[in-house]
Amino acid sequence: MFVKRKKYVTKATGSHGGDIWRNFKANRLALIAAVVLVLIMLVAIGCDFFIDYNTQVIGMNPAERLQGPSAAHWFGTDSAGRDLFARVLYGTRYSLIFGIGCTFFSMAIGCILGATAAYYGGVYDSVLMRIMDALMCIPYMLLLLMIVTVMGRGLEPMIIALSIASVPGYTRIVRSVVLSVAQQDFIEAARASGSTDRFIVMHHILPNAIGPILVDAMMSIASTIMSAAGLSYIGMGIQPPTPEWGNMLSDAMKYMRTNPSMAIFPGLALVLTALCFNLVGDGLADAIDPRRRK
């Protein structure tokens, strides 16, 4: 009597990046948020092609001030008669500059400082971490205000302030992640093979630690966008008539009862963008480590 044996076929799982992408696609909410973010970025890049900056965004038209949403002005107009739809779209560009640009600039500095501190240790590690601890003792928004007050208001001071204020947090995160990676056997094998410290840090340690770092960066983009809007809201950031969601909300507070659309649409844009970055970051964290979903 013969027993028919079943044949088992092992399916190739592909690369680690492919596994992360498949796990990410399984999270419908994160995938939708990623699609929305792509659309937001396309709007920020291409708004020059269908909106005239001088006439629709910063040009004043007192005869049409404080109008509600209509066919001529989809989001209504502000206190100077400027089209809110055009200003909200242009404000996307500045928010993404602050969120993405400042986050990845501070992440790059934090990666270098944290990775070298974890790899070399000793006095360098102790001194650098005490400096980072001292900076982290200062509340985040207070540190931003201190830097902006010293450097002045405007786009460049805000970028520098948001970048500097985020470096201590990234340095500590990168250091903790790199410490766990630096103790692995393949790092010792790289040292034994004669690889330089710079080569080991850049080609072995950071690539293996980049997953958790990128997840934290995605989460930080949303908080950076909110912080930038907060600075502009209190008058310490980008100044009118430059369209930025924070200063648009500040201008809208005086007309909340008579023309609420001035606050509703910039506020929705701000919340939607921050929410999408948070959802994508959470989905990326689940994709990298599927055990988080259990």
Side-chain angles (χ1 to χ4, degrees), residues 27 29 44 80 148 247 256 281:
N27 189 333
L29 193 58
V148 171
N247 63 39
M256 276 292 294

Side-chain angles (χ1 to χ4, degrees), residues 29 32 54 58 64 71 81 87 93 110 133 140 146 149-150 154-155 171 193 228 234 251 253 272 282 287:
L29 193 58
I32 293 172
N54 293 323
I58 62 173
E64 297 184 355
R87 289 178 62 79
R93 178 175 297 179
D133 290 341
Y140 181 74
M146 289 170 55
T149 302
V150 171
L155 179 63
T171 303
S193 66
I234 61 176
D251 183 46
M253 289 301 100
L272 177 63
D282 192 54

Side-chain angles (χ1 to χ4, degrees), residues 65-70 73-79 82-85 88 248-249 251-253 255-269:
R65 64 189 302 270
L66 300 177
Q67 292 185 5
S70 63
H73 304 286
W74 291 357
F75 290 176
T77 59
D78 64 4
S79 57
R82 297 177 291 233
D83 185 74
L84 276 177
F85 178 73
V88 168
M248 292 172 67
L249 288 171
D251 183 46
M253 289 301 100
Y255 306 98
M256 276 292 294
R257 299 194 179 201
T258 58
N259 194 14
S261 60
M262 284 181 62
I264 290 174
F265 292 110
L268 285 177

Side-chain angles (χ1 to χ4, degrees), residues 173-231:
I173 292 171
V174 172
R175 178 180 177 272
S176 63
V177 174
V178 170
L179 276 175
S180 63
V181 176
Q183 298 172 358
Q184 301 296 320
D185 293 338
F186 68 90
I187 300 298
E188 295 297 331
R191 288 197 189 101
S193 66
S195 299
T196 62
D197 291 342
R198 180 177 178 274
F199 183 86
I200 292 173
V201 170
M202 298 302 296
H203 291 82
H204 292 294
I205 293 180
L206 284 180
N208 284 280
I210 201 65
I213 296 170
L214 282 179
V215 170
D216 186 77
M218 291 299 298
M219 297 292 192
S220 298
I221 289 175
S223 61
T224 303
I225 291 175
M226 300 293 284
S227 299
L231 284 176

